[in-house]
């Protein structure tokens, strides 16, 4: 396919000889190769941006499989049956007041490092971080009858992980934490919200409010 046109002109008739034409062909070939490389590079950048964006929500393996799925990267949404899970630290405001900023940040990061892999392990979508909590969705990108069960199993494993984490925190002289988890299943509006350059995939609806 044609990707551009080069026009060489001279007011003198027959001013370009065979050698000039070969030279012009060489220039055209080089420009064509350069244009193709630039286009390929731009496509690769767009693909990597899409892969990184999906990596915010899903496990690496699932994110890679979804790279070719435009449903996850286009603006707009659709109604979906999902299970929503909220997990947050109990009494976090009191803990913040009673401990140093450094300790609070350390514990909070350790909390997220414990919870997020469990969500990915059970095939959940990491919707967002909410201060001292996290929201996950089961049923995105594809709904399954086992979504509520996977959400419950995820919750159980999160609590097990928090028990282990709390033991480690206490050994390190940090404050222990407990976590409350809410789960609700129902119809939500799911999709990308924002602008074409800045968008976030999320779900909205009563099940979200109920789980929270």
């Amino acid at each position: 396919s044609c990707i551009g046109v080069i026009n060489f002109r001279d007011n003198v008739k027959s001013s370009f000889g065979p050698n000039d034409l070969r030279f012009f062909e060489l220039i055209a070939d080089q420009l064509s190769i350069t244009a193709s490389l630039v286009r390929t590079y731009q496509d690769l950048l767009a693909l990597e941006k899409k892969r990184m964006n999906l990596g915010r929500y899903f496990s690496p393996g699932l994110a890679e499989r979804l790279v070719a799925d435009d449903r996850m990267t286009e603006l707009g949404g659709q109604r979906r049956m999902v299970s929503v899970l909220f997990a947050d630290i109990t009494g976090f405001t009191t803990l913040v007041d009673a401990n140093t900023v450094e300790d609070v940040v350390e514990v909070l990061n350790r909390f997220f490092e414990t919870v997020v892999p469990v969500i990915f392990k059970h095939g959940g979508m990491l919707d967002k971080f909410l201060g001292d909590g996290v929201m996950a969705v089961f049923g995105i990108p594809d709904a399954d009858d086992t979504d509520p069960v996977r959400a419950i199993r995820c919750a159980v494993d999160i609590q097990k992980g928090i028990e282990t984490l709390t033991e480690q925190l206490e050994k390190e002289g940090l404050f222990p934490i407990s976590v409350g988890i809410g789960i609700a299943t129902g119809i939500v509006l799911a999709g990308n919200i924002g602008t074409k350059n800045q968008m976030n995939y999320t779900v909205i609806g009563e099940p979200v409010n109920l789980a929270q």
Side-chain angles (χ1 to χ4, degrees), residues 88-95 132 176-181:
D88 60 13
I89 298 174
T90 305
F92 188 69
T93 301
T94 302
L95 294 174
D132 64 321
I177 59 173
S178 61
V179 173
I181 300 177

Side-chain angles (χ1 to χ4, degrees), residues 62-82:
L62 182 54
E64 191 64 34
R65 293 198 296 273
L66 291 174
V67 168
D69 194 334
D70 290 335
R71 293 176 300 169
M72 303 302 300
T73 54
E74 296 295 328
L75 281 173
Q78 53 185 298
R79 297 191 179 280
R80 306 290 299 272
M81 174 67 75
V82 301

Side-chain angles (χ1 to χ4, degrees), residues 38-101:
V38 168
R39 188 162 56 185
T40 300
Y41 177 67
Q42 291 173 336
D43 290 342
L44 287 174
L45 285 179
L47 187 64
E48 185 59 25
K49 182 179 179 181
K50 186 174 182 179
R51 183 179 288 110
M52 290 178 63
N53 186 51
L54 289 168
R56 295 163 53 194
Y57 304 106
F58 301 100
S59 63
L62 182 54
E64 191 64 34
R65 293 198 296 273
L66 291 174
V67 168
D69 194 334
D70 290 335
R71 293 176 300 169
M72 303 302 300
T73 54
E74 296 295 328
L75 281 173
Q78 53 185 298
R79 297 191 179 280
R80 306 290 299 272
M81 174 67 75
V82 301
S83 292
V84 182
L85 179 150
F86 273 89
D88 60 13
I89 298 174
T90 305
F92 188 69
T93 301
T94 302
L95 294 174
V96 169
D97 293 338
N99 295 275
T100 66
V101 173

